[in-house]
Amino acid sequence: EGVEWKTKLLGKGAISVSALSQQEPTTLHKAHQCIVVVNVCDLVVDKGRMRALRWADRYEATPQAPLVVTYLQSLLHRIRELQEDTPPFVVVTQMDRMGGVACTGAREAALVSLRKCATVNSIYFTACPSYDAGPRERENPLAYTTDVDTRSEVLRLHQDIMSSVSWSIVQKPDLLQEMLESNLQERER
């Protein structure tokens, strides 16, 4: 529903649940998009290279994958209800543990499970950045690099978020008007 700007929800000096429920909702600050992050190790297990040499699938669903998918189905359904039927984005992380973002076997094994709860167009794969101790990285010890596939997936996610946000504003002209009025009020202060 949305809360006032800079309302502290957790930690020291946070607003209580009863005080929060008494406040009027601020529709301008309502969340329009949601990103659900899933670890690939919860969905897929690597059975090893020897299995691939025997013409068997190297990547298979983990034993807990059906439980993860059931939980995701209920979570994504609840999020869609809260966001007026806007589907959340699902990001599968740590693909570097399964051969990287470009590893089609691991992607397909994860998609087999995730197709039951999310559309394929809203699923993105990322790998953790790796630390390369090259000459430039030695100067900055916190320098991490991401692979090209992760960068392209994050860029695709960014583009999809931006297109869905602009589409939600076009669908709700009163929201756009409210945003413009609140910006004018803030400038006048």
Side-chain angles (χ1 to χ4, degrees):
E1 294 179 348
V3 294
E4 281 298 317
W5 185 249
K6 295 187 180 180
T7 301
K8 191 168 184 181
L9 299 174
L10 293 174
K12 194 175 193 178
I15 190 169
S16 66
V17 176
S18 59
L20 185 62
S21 62
Q22 292 174 357
Q23 285 185 352
E24 275 193 43
T26 309
T27 57
L28 180 63
H29 300 149
K30 180 180 176 182
H32 297 285
Q33 295 300 325
C34 180
I35 299 173
V36 177
V37 179
V38 180
N39 191 334
V40 73
C41 297
D42 293 336
L43 299 170
V44 179
V45 64
D46 186 358
K47 293 290 188 172
R49 292 185 180 127
M50 292 304 293
R51 208 170 143 100
L53 293 175
R54 286 185 255 146
W55 297 101
D57 290 332
R58 178 176 174 174
Y59 301 98
E60 289 182 352
T62 60
Q64 74 264 18
L67 295 174
V68 173
V69 169
T70 303
Y71 176 73
L72 276 174
Q73 282 176 332
S74 63
L75 177 67
L76 296 177
H77 177 71
R78 179 73 179 129
I79 289 171
R80 282 185 82 129
E81 285 178 356
L82 292 172
Q83 292 187 339
E84 300 170 1
D85 207 35
T86 303
F89 299 104
V90 178
V91 177
V92 180
T93 61
Q94 295 190 354
M95 284 295 291
D96 52 310
R97 292 186 177 188
M98 298 293 162
V101 176
C103 181
T104 56
R107 286 174 73 111
E108 279 302 314
L111 283 174
V112 165
S113 298
L114 290 175
R115 279 187 186 121
K116 298 172 186 169
C117 55
T119 60
V120 178
N121 293 341
S122 64
I123 300 173
Y124 305 87
F125 294 91
T126 62
C128 290
S130 62
Y131 178 71
D132 295 331
R136 199 170 105 207
E137 286 78 13
R138 286 188 200 115
E139 295 171 7
N140 184 4
L142 298 176
Y144 289 92
T145 58
T146 57
D147 59 317
V148 175
D149 298 318
T150 297
R151 278 187 241 143
S152 67
E153 287 284 310
V154 171
L155 180 64
R156 188 171 68 94
L157 173 64
H158 174 72
Q159 290 170 342
D160 290 348
I161 289 173
M162 292 307 295
S163 66
S164 65
V165 168
S166 63
W167 178 247
S168 68
I169 289 174
V170 169
Q171 281 183 320
K172 302 171 187 170
D174 56 331
L175 177 67
L176 181 60
Q177 184 65 33
E178 187 178 337
M179 289 172 64
L180 292 173
E181 289 173 2
S182 70
N183 285 340
L184 289 174
Q185 290 173 357
E186 287 179 16
R187 287 183 186 171
E188 289 173 359
R189 292 183 203 167

